[in-house]
């Protein structure tokens, strides 16, 4: 990973370099193609994963995760998971996905 983010990012954030997120984002997050992200914090907005991007979610997303063709692995809490055609998403045991966006639901 190229960098670590700690603290609070106010507003929307387009991620264009690999990063590990330990803080809070108070807006939508977009991960550009070919970028890898690890998320341990909190996103208060939607998370958009572009084709060929990837994210491992250990934290919370208080909004929809919109996978447009990337790779998403959920170990944490997500309000909704919406997969486009060709998207690859995994909901791991013990994680929580509450929304109606696909075949994913509460996973105990």
């Amino acid at each position: 990973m190229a960098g670590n983010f700690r603290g609070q990012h106010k507003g929307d954030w387009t991620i264009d370099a690999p990063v590990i997120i330990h803080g809070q984002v108070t807006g939508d997050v977009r991960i550009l193609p070919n970028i890898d992200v690890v998320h341990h914090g909190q996103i208060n907005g939607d998370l958009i994963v572009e084709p060929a991007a990837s994210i491992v979610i250990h934290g919370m997303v208080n909004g929809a995760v919109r996978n447009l063709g990337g790779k998403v692995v959920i170990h944490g809490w997500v309000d909704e998971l919406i997969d486009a055609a060709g998207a690859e998403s995994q909901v791991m045991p013990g994680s929580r996905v509450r929304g109606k966006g696909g075949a994913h639901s509460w996973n105990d």
Side-chain angles (χ1 to χ4, degrees), residues 38-94:
V38 177
H39 169 57
H40 294 280
Q42 183 176 11
I43 296 172
N44 292 318
D46 289 347
L47 170 63
I48 299 101
V49 182
E50 296 281 351
S54 70
I55 185 165
V56 178
I57 300 169
H58 295 281
M60 295 178 68
V61 178
N62 295 315
V65 175
R66 300 178 188 282
N67 188 350
L68 304 180
K71 182 176 181 181
V72 173
V73 179
I74 300 171
H75 293 275
W77 292 63
V78 170
D79 276 352
E80 185 174 10
L81 176 59
I82 301 167
D83 283 331
E88 180 182 347
S89 295
Q90 293 179 297
V91 180
M92 305 306 289

Side-chain angles (χ1 to χ4, degrees), residues 1-2 16 18 26 32-33 38 41 51 54 59 76 79 83 85 87-88 90 95 97 108:
M1 291 283 147
D16 59 1
T26 60
L32 296 180
V38 177
S54 70
D79 276 352
D83 283 331
E88 180 182 347
Q90 293 179 297
S95 60
V97 179
D108 288 322

